[in-house]
Amino acid sequence: MNYTEVPPLGDRGLILVTGGLGFIGSHTVVELHNAGFEVVIIDNLSNSSIDVLKGIEKIIGVQPAFVQLDLRDKKSVQDFFKTHTDIQGVIHFAASKAVGESVENPLLYYENNINTLVYLLQELQLKEKANFIFSSSCTVYGQAEVMPITEDAPVQQPISPYGNTKKIGEEIVKDVAKISSINAILLRYFNPIGAHPSAEIGELPLGVPQNLVPFITQTGVGLRKELSVFGNDYPTPDGTAVRDYIHVVDLAKAHVVALQRLISGKNTEKVEVFNVGTGKGSSVLEVITAFETVSDEKLPYKIVERREGDITIAYANTDKANSVLGWSAQSTLEEALASAWKWERKIRG
Ligand code: WQD
């Protein structure tokens, strides 16, 4: 990854990372530092721990500026921007992201994922120039017809309120960019997994993990009895669902490259959209096999019913990110799983 295009120090202001103590946010803070950016983190610690700040410091040698703030509080957001006038870019991760929870409590998701976006954009539209990276998701495609999925695949009515907040969020960003100085890039993540190679930061799911890989690693350390594989009757080669699992460090680097593109004015539209994946699909059983290889452990699992709302298959066409952003994922599934396994063993002592 070539960071030499970073503008001269004097041109680089502060980068605000909301949700910067979260899984993807914390890894992005590390890569922003590595690329020479100065960062300030906003996080309300509702789904993250202040210890992540120490983990970041152990990796980069300095503790980034941190402001504990709930973006649902409009006045706090306004006050933040009054005291931080040199924000040159914003990477907005702060959001709730549990699909199942969003079905049970939709208004929590509309308040936390939409109101916060509106309050942030209300501040950014007042600035001469604002660069905004929005954390979106492949979930906006629903079950896409054609694989691999390109950015112009139709955005469908997502199945969950979580997915709907990503679809609505993208529309809000587009509408505001049309009438303001905001330039934006929407990054549609596929399935982020793994942890920083130092094992100083990684995924910290609260309670029982909803996502596949943390459930696998917790099963591997004996925290969970066995993995339930949600269905093996999908129309896929081995009957289990297929996803595009991308190393979180590769995903973090995509944010830095996207930000640099906006700061250097290379974007050709006010709002650009990129899929961020590996371009490779892996089934649940293939992930299990890969985990057993890297951990040298047999993973106990059982096949159960499909999970409500799951799609059969999704993996990215990454041509646009490769050619336009000049970014591609570097890590293999095995390397990502090995980093997740090293992290799990580290935090379980
Ligand atoms: C992956 C596969 C499951 C758990 C969601 C969101 C997406 C993003 C990532 C936030 C599926 C199967 C899972 C388990 C299983 N979220 N599985 N047993 O659902 O593809 O994507 O999380 O950014 O927006 O939609 O990810 O990890 O939950 O599931 O068999 O215990 O693993 O059925 O096929 P998903 P996942």
Side-chain angles (χ1 to χ4, degrees):
M1 185 55 57
N2 171 13
Y3 286 129
T4 53
E5 289 154 37
V6 177
L9 204 52
D11 300 353
R12 266 176 301 154
L14 208 46
I15 305 304
L16 165 60
V17 180
T18 74
L21 294 186
F23 176 37
I24 307 168
S26 55
H27 289 81
T28 303
V29 166
V30 167
E31 297 309 324
L32 284 166
H33 174 84
N34 292 345
F37 287 98
E38 199 190 336
V39 170
V40 55
I41 294 168
I42 282 180
D43 203 300
N44 69 359
L45 300 178
S46 64
N47 190 24
S48 56
S49 155
I50 192 69
D51 294 342
V52 174
L53 208 50
K54 292 194 191 65
I56 293 171
E57 184 176 1
K58 283 196 187 136
I59 297 170
I60 64 177
V62 289
Q63 189 173 108
F66 167 64
V67 176
Q68 183 172 351
L69 185 157
D70 193 322
L71 293 169
R72 289 172 296 188
D73 176 353
K74 184 174 181 174
K75 174 93 176 47
S76 304
V77 177
Q78 292 170 326
D79 292 346
F80 176 86
F81 279 90
K82 282 195 189 96
T83 54
H84 294 78
T85 53
D86 59 348
I87 298 283
Q88 189 188 36
V90 177
I91 304 184
H92 180 43
F93 293 104
S96 300
K97 59 152 208 156
V99 172
E101 183 188 47
S102 77
V103 174
E104 287 151 28
N105 194 346
L107 288 178
L108 171 81
Y109 276 67
Y110 288 115
E111 182 190 36
N112 196 33
N113 294 8
I114 303 297
N115 290 10
T116 56
L117 175 64
V118 168
Y119 300 154
L120 264 181
L121 293 174
Q122 282 174 330
E123 296 308 310
L124 293 184
Q125 73 171 352
L126 303 174
K127 298 175 81 69
E128 291 239 322
K129 185 172 185 299
N131 301 299
F132 189 69
I133 308 285
F134 181 64
S135 163
S136 190
S137 168
C138 62
T139 203
V140 301
Y141 298 116
Q143 177 55 74
E145 291 297 310
V146 178
M147 291 299 139
I149 304 172
T150 61
E151 286 82 355
D152 51 22
V155 170
Q156 306 198 52
Q157 182 51 42
I159 295 165
S160 70
Y162 158 75
N164 207 24
T165 66
K166 292 301 180 184
K167 176 174 178 284
I168 296 167
E170 290 193 355
E171 294 309 324
I172 292 171
V173 173
K174 287 176 192 164
D175 287 346
V176 175
K178 277 191 197 114
I179 49 89
S180 73
S181 62
I182 295 173
N183 288 282
I185 287 181
L186 313 176
L187 294 180
R188 290 175 178 166
Y189 309 158
F190 281 70
N191 288 57
I193 64 169
H196 192 268
S198 66
E200 295 297 352
I201 54 175
E203 196 166 4
L204 281 170
L206 295 180
V208 178
Q210 298 305 303
N211 296 130
L212 177 66
V213 170
F215 202 106
I216 286 179
T217 55
Q218 287 192 12
T219 303
V221 291
L223 255 183
R224 309 287 160 198
K225 182 167 154 295
E226 63 183 351
L227 171 73
S228 296
V229 174
F230 297 145
N232 69 344
D233 58 348
Y234 285 99
T236 60
D238 65 18
T240 63
V242 172
R243 297 289 186 275
D244 183 333
Y245 296 95
I246 177 171
H247 196 301
V248 65
V249 173
D250 282 329
L251 177 58
K253 288 177 177 174
H255 289 77
V256 178
V257 175
L259 181 70
Q260 287 170 329
R261 178 174 172 82
L262 292 180
I263 288 175
S264 45
K266 290 201 177 110
N267 53 305
T268 54
E269 298 164 276
K270 289 281 279 171
V271 181
E272 294 181 323
V273 185
F274 294 94
N275 286 338
V276 189
T278 65
K280 182 179 173 304
S282 302
S283 73
V284 176
L285 291 180
E286 285 171 332
V287 174
I288 292 172
T289 304
F291 176 75
E292 291 180 331
T293 304
V294 302
S295 65
D296 198 20
E297 292 209 1
K298 196 91 189 84
L299 189 86
Y301 69 88
K302 63 181 176 184
I303 306 289
V304 299
E305 287 304 300
R306 294 185 181 189
R307 179 172 64 178
E308 186 66 30
D310 274 354
I311 57 170
T312 300
I313 185 166
Y315 58 95
N317 178 313
T318 58
D319 292 350
K320 189 178 173 190
N322 302 157
S323 57
V324 176
L325 275 188
W327 168 92
S328 62
Q330 303 298 305
S331 298
T332 64
L333 174 67
E334 288 71 15
E335 285 163 345
L337 289 169
S339 68
W341 180 228
K342 180 180 174 189
W343 164 250
E344 187 68 61
R345 279 173 297 143
K346 165 95 184 280
I347 54 176
R348 304 300 165 197

